[in-house]
Structure formats: structure tokens, C-alpha cells
Amino acid sequence: MFVDKVKIFVRSGKGGDGHVSFRREKYVPNGGPDGGDGGRGGHIIFEVDPGLNTLMKFRHQRHYKAKDGEEGGKKRCHGKDAEDLVIKVPQGTVIREAESGRVIADLHATGQREIIFRGGRGGRGNQHFATATRQAPRYAEKGTPAKEYWITLELKMIADVGLVGYPNVGKSTLLSMVSNAQPKIANYHFTTLAPNLGVVTNQYGKQFVMADIPGLIEGAAEGVGLGHDFLRHVERTKVLLHVVDAAGTEGRDPVEDIYTIQREINLYNENILKDKPQIIAANKIDVGGHEENLERLKAEFEPQGIKVIPISAAANDNLQELLKDVAELLATAPEQNIIFEPEFEEISQMPDGPFTVKEIFEGYFTVEGTAIERMLGYTAMDTEQGFAFFQKYLREKGIIQALEDAGISEGDTVNIYDLEFDYYK
């Protein structure tokens, strides 16, 4: 079964907590702090597997959770980092955050490997908090929390040539005649409910991958029928091969059919057809009454630079001529496929919730709270933009004011889980 869209739950690993302990040896009765750091939580990693061509396995397993980092130990022992969770997907998989629909990653390249959600950082043990005036700190950091999201995986077929056309115009028959694919063929609408791929070799030895994209209907861009599921696969192809019924066996106008499909593709994504070469296969010339439609097709589209090739897929008539022209188009087609740029920001709004401010010892303040922990875990603190965003959060949520009410002075230290900074107005 071909599955090209699924929704799954992923969770990265929590960072291990730092440890509080003190060196205790027979001749060292007052040893210093030796609590170790916690280990890093496991990352969620997606990797392209060339052996996969469907998202079927995600129908059976919907939840994926990386392991948490190990807590720190005595004698400065560092907790073990958790193993990363590697999830393998087919080439062409686009990962989106389910609620917003924003792109997290586009796994379009062979062997591509992306860290989608990072595991939490391990908390520091109390060995890091000793100073000349504070030699026995009884405080250690907690590990950064895990990140968890519902995400959608969308498979967009990567093929050189995409066959597009109304249902029952002969696309599956054409693919079966020119490639190694064996699609199911029958004489009724929506025979093909999933894309079929085939490797085509023309008489000159040129090879390319052809995809039979299921039949489109008017209104597909608005989701009519299975429209969005079909249109998704058009984006990746380098050349579009329109297949039309030149004989008009079902009473449709082949010229209008092509304009309708072009219109639906533009409504779905206006950039698809801008630089993508197109060619028309006028099928069913073995059936009488095709001559007038064939001339109309040539008169309408060849002045636009879209060549019309008469064929009969069922009778294997003129198929090599079609493949020769397709190979020539591929040779001049843009090399790059459409790639979806990441647009997902892990914090779309500032989380809210209670917090506590404590002065652990003189000049050292801690801030804790579920919302703050979540905010810190999801914000890229190693970037100027991320840190500025976090500072804005501290001000707007009243945390800075609470620190000042607790008696903080300039130069004092503020610790918020794994973030530590000096306070200055």
C-alpha cells in the first residue's frame, strides 16, 4: 500500500539532572563538591533511506520518543548521553509541524540527515558552583526539558517526468509500455489512487524516472476529490508530460483539459509551471475521430513552445518519438527541484505560567517554573536573536521585576536551569 501523508508524535530526550555530592575520603574530612553533570538527551533525527518509497510504516507506529540523558554522579562522574533516535524516511519527505503546517525540514537529497529536535542539555553538578566564599554549594542544575510535537510527514515524489492528465486518458498504460512499472489498469475513473514510478530507457539509451501522478479533476487545488494529494507530487518533477484523449472518447475537449490542469496547478502553487518544461502526448490515435482534436492541440500549444506528439499507448505507436523529445527536454530542464525552506519557529507565542524566584545564597538567584523551562528549552540561546527574544520574555512576564523585588543587585548572578548570566540594568 502506498502512503504519502501521515501524522506522528515525536519527543526528544530530556537532559539528565546535575548531581549534588561532596568528596568524602578517609584523610579528607572536608572535601569539596564533586557532583557530576547530567548527560544530554537524545536528538530526534530524520534520515533519507534510499530503500523506502512510502510512509506505510508510520501507519503502524505513531509515537517516537528518544531516551533521556543519565543523571550526573558522585566523584565528578558525567551522566551518559542518551542515544539519538534516527527515523528513516523516503527521499522527498517534507516534515511539518502539525498545528501550524510550517515546514521543519525538507529531506530532498540522497543520504540527507537532519536533526529535527535536539535533546535537552544536561544540568551542571554542584562542582561548578563553588567559589572562594561559597565552598559547599548544595545546588545543581536540572536538565533541559524534552521537546515534543505532533508533526506531519508528506512524501513528494522525486521524478524526472510527471505524467498528468484527467482520469482514464491512458497515463498508466503509457507508463507500463515504456518502463518497468506495472501499474493496475482498468477502464474507470480514479483507477490510479497512488503515484507509480518507472525507469524509462529510450532507444538512444537515455534513462530517466517517470511518475504516473493520479488523475486530476477540476477543483483539485481546493481539495476536491484527492486533489491536494495528487498535486503534491507535481512539484518535484523536472518535466510535465500532459496526456490527453485526442479521440475524445468520453466527450471531453482535450484542449480545455490541458488548460484546466494548468489552472489547477497554478492555483495550488503558482511557481510550479514558471520554469518547468511541458510536452503533450495526444493519446488514442488508434481510435477514429482524433484528427481534428490533434490539429487543434498543435495550433493552440505549439506556438506556446509546448510540443504535441501523437501516440497510442495501447498500440505502442510512436512512443519512442515521444521518449526522444522528453529526453531532449530533460537535458535542458533546470537541475534543481523545488526545495521547501524551513519556516518553523519552535516558539510561536510566549508560554505562560507561575514561576518562583529564590536567593540561594548571597548574590546568586534562581528562577524556576514550567513555562520558563519550556521557553528556555525551545529557544536558540546561542544566537543573538534567540537571547534577545528570551530577554523580552523575562521582562514581559514580570520575572525581571520579581528579581528586583527579591533584592537583586547589579553584578549578581541569575541561574535559570542551564542558563546563567550576570544581572545588569
Side-chain angles (χ1 to χ4, degrees):
M1 180 178 179
F2 182 85
V3 177
D4 61 359
K5 187 173 182 179
V6 293
K7 181 179 178 180
I8 63 173
F9 176 84
V10 293
R11 175 189 179 276
S12 64
K14 175 187 175 299
D17 294 341
H19 190 68
V20 176
S21 62
F22 297 91
R23 183 182 174 195
R24 292 290 182 265
E25 295 180 18
K26 185 174 181 180
Y27 299 107
V28 188
N30 297 314
D34 67 353
D37 302 342
R40 174 183 61 78
H43 298 326
I44 295 291
I45 298 175
F46 279 78
E47 181 179 334
V48 171
D49 184 343
L52 296 176
N53 58 12
T54 174
L55 299 173
M56 181 63 188
K57 70 173 184 177
F58 297 101
R59 282 286 183 92
H60 305 293
Q61 184 179 350
R62 299 272 184 157
H63 290 75
Y64 294 82
K65 299 179 180 180
K67 294 183 178 180
D68 296 339
E70 192 177 76
E71 292 185 6
K74 299 179 180 180
K75 299 182 179 179
R76 303 177 183 266
C77 288
H78 195 290
K80 185 179 179 181
D81 291 343
E83 290 186 10
D84 299 329
L85 178 59
V86 180
I87 302 172
K88 296 190 176 183
V89 294
Q91 185 178 357
T93 300
V94 177
I95 304 170
R96 299 178 185 268
E97 196 270 323
E99 185 175 351
S100 67
R102 293 181 178 273
V103 175
I104 299 173
D106 179 357
L107 285 92
H108 61 279
T110 304
Q112 188 175 351
R113 182 182 173 100
E114 298 281 349
I115 299 176
I116 304 303
F117 297 118
R118 293 186 173 275
R121 287 169 288 184
R124 291 179 295 175
N126 70 331
Q127 60 172 306
H128 295 283
F129 301 99
T131 67
T133 57
R134 183 178 69 252
Q135 299 184 3
R138 298 185 176 275
Y139 172 78
E141 288 178 336
K142 293 180 184 262
T144 303
K147 302 176 184 179
E148 52 185 48
Y149 284 97
W150 281 96
I151 62 175
T152 58
L153 308 180
E154 296 178 355
L155 178 57
K156 298 175 186 284
M157 281 291 188
I158 296 179
D160 297 307
V161 180
L163 298 177
V164 294
Y166 267 70
N168 205 29
V169 295
K171 299 191 309 299
S172 296
T173 302
L174 174 58
L175 183 66
S176 69
M177 294 296 288
V178 301
S179 76
N180 57 356
Q182 296 180 330
K184 294 180 180 179
I185 301 171
N187 189 29
Y188 54 87
H189 286 186
F190 285 107
T191 300
T192 306
L193 296 181
N196 292 300
L197 287 177
V199 178
V200 178
T201 305
N202 69 10
Q203 60 185 346
Y204 304 103
K206 298 290 185 181
Q207 280 195 340
F208 50 86
V209 177
M210 183 178 285
D212 170 16
I213 298 169
L216 300 174
I217 60 175
E218 191 167 3
E222 282 72 47
V224 174
L226 302 177
H228 278 164
D229 294 333
F230 298 161
L231 286 164
R232 180 183 309 124
H233 301 295
V234 176
E235 293 176 290
R236 299 288 196 182
T237 57
K238 295 179 181 177
V239 170
L240 283 186
L241 173 53
H242 294 269
V243 182
V244 294
D245 178 359
T249 57
E250 296 192 355
R252 288 198 312 271
D253 181 354
V255 173
E256 184 57 34
D257 282 359
I258 292 175
Y259 278 129
T260 300
I261 287 173
Q262 289 177 332
R263 184 164 57 249
E264 291 300 322
I265 292 173
N266 281 326
L267 286 172
Y268 176 74
N269 185 338
E270 63 182 8
N271 294 316
I272 292 178
L273 296 180
K274 284 184 177 178
D275 300 313
K276 197 183 297 292
Q278 301 174 63
I279 190 170
I280 297 171
N283 194 23
K284 302 189 181 181
I285 60 170
D286 57 318
V287 179
H290 69 274
E291 293 84 358
E292 181 181 350
N293 281 334
L294 180 59
E295 291 304 316
R296 290 177 59 237
L297 285 165
K298 289 184 176 182
E300 185 71 25
F301 294 104
E302 289 195 341
Q304 301 178 33
I306 303 176
K307 194 170 183 179
V308 178
I309 309 294
I311 68 164
S312 172
N316 195 13
D317 187 5
N318 211 33
L319 298 188
Q320 286 301 323
E321 180 68 20
L322 173 65
L323 297 183
K324 178 178 74 70
D325 288 336
V326 168
E328 290 175 357
L329 279 181
L330 280 172
T332 59
E335 285 295 324
Q336 292 185 342
N337 292 316
I338 292 178
I339 299 173
F340 297 85
E341 296 296 331
E343 56 188 3
F344 174 66
E345 296 178 2
E346 290 189 83
I347 291 294
S348 58
Q349 59 182 10
M350 294 185 177
D352 207 354
F355 61 87
T356 59
V357 173
K358 295 180 181 178
E359 185 176 14
I360 304 300
F361 36 78
E362 186 178 353
Y364 192 89
F365 293 78
T366 64
V367 181
E368 294 182 346
T370 303
I372 301 169
E373 187 175 20
R374 178 170 172 259
M375 178 70 184
L376 183 61
Y378 290 176
T379 305
M381 301 303 295
D382 54 347
T383 67
E384 183 178 347
Q385 182 181 8
F387 189 72
F389 187 65
F390 189 68
Q391 287 179 312
K392 178 182 177 183
Y393 173 80
L394 296 180
R395 288 193 301 271
E396 293 189 1
K397 296 302 177 183
I399 297 169
I400 296 297
Q401 184 61 52
L403 285 166
E404 292 175 350
D405 293 344
I408 195 169
S409 301
E410 289 200 5
D412 288 349
T413 300
V414 179
N415 176 270
I416 307 177
Y417 295 102
D418 61 348
L419 175 67
E420 192 169 280
F421 59 91
D422 293 335
Y423 169 78
Y424 289 99
K425 287 188 177 181

